[in-house]
Every structure is written in structure tokens, then in C-alpha cells.
Amino acid sequence: MSVSGSWERTARGAMLLGPGGELSPTIFAEMSALAASTGAINLGQGFPDEDGPAEVLEAARAAISAGVNQYPPGLGMPVLREAIAAHQKRFYGIELDAATQVLVTAGATEAIAATLLALTDAGDEVVTFEPFYDEYGAITALGRATQVTVPLRAPHFLPDPDELRAAVNDRTRVIIVNSPHNPSGAVFPREILELIVELAHRHDAIIVTDEVYEHLTFGVEHMPVAGLPGAFERTVTISSGGKTFSTTGWKIGWAVAPAELIQAIAAVKQYLTYVNGAPFQPAIAVGLGLPDEFFASAAATLRAKRDILSAGLASAGFTVGTPDAGYFVIADAAPLGVTDAAEFCRALPSLAGVVGVPVTAFVRPANRAQYSSLIRFAFCKRAELLEDAAARLAGMTLI
Ligand code: PMP
Ligand code: GLN
């Protein structure tokens, strides 16, 4: 789709349009469309190809049958807000008032959007680590704030403390933390999180932490920023049920923060979706209350899938990272002679019948050079499919 005339010069959305004014789909939508049109195995967009826990699915069906089909309350259904509060206490020892410190949103996506739009204005700086989940840059631009990035470099994708210090100043309004990190699967160590809290205090910034992969860690512990000393009062913790319960299409997310911050975020959120997903809210509440074994086994199953895909990518000649968490592995195609992963990803469906996402899609144009041969592959798929994808990549002939 293309727009012309004065519209793109005046709308805030113009900042998100391509150079010719075209309304380009996100990289995830583009790559899923490519997979659908070519029949290639879609290891691009991160969504599971199997259903999550039966109790959660059944609870949604039961809610629909019981007539939970109209607008839920603006902050979310009490049963879910209480389940989110109980989850934060059970896993992290964080005590919350479910009535005032928890907001249910349309996925983590809406929580991120409402939070950034509520907290930032023109002239404010938003610090993100780079590569970054594309929404952070898009919403920062929509709010007319300025994005400042701190590089995360292969193979570990952890920030340099001095570069982090240099990025935060008195104009910084928000520091966005995404640990476990998409696309790299890095889990930030406690020292880095503590430094972020210290910098937020020093410069009076708010920490917005996107923890959607919180339960999908492989032998390392997820540490919520809000649990660190002095952090809660200036932290918005965002997560969602999509990854943990394999229900990415339900779009049930949440933000947890001190009451004044929740009020500000809810004020914006009410004009974005108002509310969403009534029958899915009690179902995600059931999920959050599942026994520990469920959470442990979801992570263990995913870890085995990581290993299948990583081994396949290595035998196909890629240099493969070892993600500590999440849905994705980053593979370096440089040993295969690839210098432009974006071009290579567009050719990959015909070369190998597989779709991946170039890491440059998570990096601003000026900083792309050091990421130009990296590809993100999703391993949240059935083991047979991952084996098939690995075999296809190993059999690929590069011309
Ligand atoms: N943050 C990160 C880091 C993600 O990878 C995603 C996508 N899965 C989201 C936010 C969006 O989550 P949701 O689907 O709950 O809106
Ligand atoms: N979070 C998912 C990913 O990184 C997809 C999100 C989306 O399609 N916007 O692949």
C-alpha cells in the first residue's frame, strides 16, 4: 500500500513510512507472508506451532460458554489482576496491590505503547539496547521522543557498562530493558540491571522492562528489574501470556507498576483498545496459577528445540550463538560467504525452503554494518519441523 499527497508529511505515522512514503509491513509480517506464499518453513515470526496447556484452552472455552463475552473492566478482570499479583509474589517475591498496581492490556505490545505514549514527549530521550524489538523505536517515534541506543554485540549481546553510562543523561525519560532479549536470547546479569537502576535514580528516569520471555530461560535465572532494591518505585514491568502459554493470538498482556504510573498508562490505554479479550483473561489467570512443573517443562521443552535447531544450523555451516532464553537463535551466515543477511533472507525460501529474519531489522540503519551477516531463526516449533528446516539448510547450494 502506498500513500501520497500531504498526508504522509503531516501524520505522525509518516515517521514510520518507507523512503517512498510506502506503508511497509513489519519484518515479522513480511517474512510470514513470504513463508505463506512460498510454502517455506516459517522460522521468522516467533509463534509456536503447537497449542499450550489444555487447562488454559479449556478455561477460555468455558468462559465463552459462561457468557464472558462483553467488555471487561478497564483495568482488566479482577481474577486476572489478582493472578498477576500472585504470580509476581510466587516467582519473584514482589508484593502488589492487584486493585491499583496491575493493568491488563492487549498483549505486551499495547502495554509498551501505552507506557511510552504516557511517559514521553518531544525532547525526551528513550534509551534502548540495540538490536531492539521494533516496537520500541516505532512508538518512541510516534510519541516524538528521541531514541538513544546502547549496542549489544555478538556473541554475548550484553551491554558495555561505560556505553550504558554514556547513553543516560538528564534528558532520559525512559530506559527500556528487554531481558530475556529478543532477538538474541541474552539474559542481563544482575550487575547490569543494578547499574540501570542506579542510572535511573541519578537521572530521574523510569525503567520500562519487557519480560515476555520471563519463563523461557535455559538454566539461567530470570531476574525482574522491579525486584532489585530501589527499583520498584520507578519501574513499569511488562509481560504477557502469549509466550508462556503458547497463546500469542490471544493478546493478553499486562503492566505492573506503582499506582500513579498505572493510572497514567491506563489513561492512554483506554483510548487505544479500551479493553480486550474478555474470555481469555480468566484463562490466562488459570495459566498463571499452574504448578511449577508446567513452567519448568515449558522451558525444558524449548531448550531441547533450541539444541535441535542450533545443531542443524551449525552443520549447515553457520556460526551459531547460544541463547540463554526465549524463542530465537542468532546464526551468523558469514562463513557461508553471506554479507547481506537481509538479501539472503529474501532468497532463503527459494534457496532452502526456510524463512528467517535478518538481525538488521532490529537495528537502526546507521548501525547495521556489524550485524549485516546475522539471521534470527525461531525454534518455538515442532521438533520434526526444526529437523526438516535444518536438513534443508544443510542441503542448500549457494550460487
Ligand atoms: N516484546 C517482545 C520482546 C516480543 O518479542 C514480543 C513479541 N512476541 C512482544 C513484546 C509482544 O508481545 P505480545 O504478543 O504479548 O503483544
Ligand atoms: N514477537 C514476535 C517476534 O519477534 C512477533 C511479533 C510481531 O509479529 N509483531 O517474532
Side-chain angles (χ1 to χ4, degrees):
M1 180 184 169
S2 159
V3 290
S4 58
S6 61
W7 186 86
E8 75 272 23
R9 284 194 293 275
T10 53
R12 284 189 173 203
M15 287 177 273
L16 309 178
L17 296 180
E22 71 280 6
L23 186 55
S24 46
T26 72
I27 187 72
F28 312 112
E30 180 189 345
M31 290 303 170
S32 282
L34 190 61
S37 67
T38 59
I41 297 177
N42 187 0
L43 306 185
Q45 194 174 28
F47 61 89
D49 60 354
E50 285 179 302
D51 275 335
E55 303 91 313
V56 173
L57 304 178
E58 190 44 46
R61 280 190 281 266
I64 291 174
S65 299
V68 185
N69 299 308
Q70 309 308 328
Y71 299 129
L75 290 183
M77 287 168 62
V79 66
L80 178 55
R81 281 188 275 142
E82 276 152 26
I84 293 164
H87 169 274
Q88 296 305 101
K89 168 103 172 88
R90 167 179 161 201
F91 286 96
Y92 311 122
I94 297 173
E95 303 261 6
L96 294 167
D97 175 10
T100 61
Q101 297 181 324
V102 180
L103 171 67
V104 176
T105 56
T109 304
E110 190 195 30
I112 293 161
T115 301
L116 292 179
L117 293 174
L119 299 182
T120 64
D121 221 327
D124 290 335
E125 292 184 0
V126 173
V127 171
T128 73
F129 297 91
E130 185 174 49
F132 56 88
Y133 185 57
D134 61 351
E135 186 193 4
Y136 310 155
I139 303 293
T140 300
L142 284 174
R144 296 213 191 276
T146 303
Q147 186 182 7
V148 173
T149 53
V150 178
L152 304 178
R153 298 185 180 85
H156 299 300
F157 291 93
L158 297 176
D160 174 84
D162 289 331
E163 287 178 330
L164 173 54
R165 279 188 202 95
V168 183
N169 61 59
D170 289 345
R171 287 184 305 279
T172 306
R173 179 72 176 131
V174 167
I175 304 171
I176 304 183
V177 182
N178 173 213
S179 177
H181 180 248
N182 177 7
S184 73
V187 174
F188 284 9
R190 187 182 176 107
E191 311 80 78
I192 292 291
L193 300 179
E194 284 173 346
L195 175 59
I196 292 166
V197 175
E198 183 193 319
L199 292 168
H201 270 279
R202 189 178 313 151
H203 298 288
D204 196 20
I206 304 286
I207 301 165
V208 174
T209 164
D210 174 348
E211 304 185 1
V212 298
Y213 300 102
E214 63 187 312
H215 285 294
L216 305 177
T217 61
F218 314 136
V220 298
E221 211 183 324
H222 169 67
M223 193 174 300
V225 178
L228 294 174
F232 181 79
E233 69 204 57
R234 54 177 66 248
T235 300
V236 180
T237 304
I238 290 171
S239 192
S240 102
K243 317 293 159 177
T244 306
F245 305 114
S246 298
T247 51
T248 62
W250 287 10
K251 300 298 286 189
I252 300 297
W254 51 89
V256 161
E260 320 77 75
L261 284 171
I262 288 295
Q263 274 167 19
I265 298 163
V268 174
K269 182 260 184 304
Q270 66 186 334
Y271 293 115
L272 296 178
T273 57
Y274 179 49
V275 290
N276 77 296
F280 301 124
Q281 293 196 16
I284 294 295
V286 167
L288 291 170
L290 286 174
D292 291 353
E293 300 82 70
F294 162 74
F295 295 91
S297 106
T301 305
L302 200 57
R303 182 184 191 151
K305 293 178 176 190
R306 172 197 71 173
D307 293 343
I308 292 171
L309 184 62
S310 299
L313 289 168
S315 60
F318 293 85
T319 302
V320 188
T322 309
D324 278 331
Y327 272 180
F328 311 106
V329 60
I330 290 184
D332 190 347
L336 304 175
V338 172
T339 51
D340 182 345
E343 190 193 351
F344 182 65
C345 283
R346 288 195 177 91
L348 207 49
S350 46
L351 285 174
V354 174
V355 165
V357 173
V359 170
T360 47
F362 303 82
V363 178
R364 295 197 294 178
N367 301 333
R368 285 186 180 161
Q370 63 176 311
Y371 304 97
S372 62
S373 59
L374 303 182
I375 302 171
R376 187 196 81 169
F377 291 103
F379 51 78
C380 49
K381 307 289 176 183
R382 281 170 294 124
E384 312 85 79
L385 200 75
L386 296 173
E387 270 152 14
D388 185 2
R392 291 179 185 207
L393 288 164
M396 154 177 79
T397 321
L398 294 173
I399 26 157

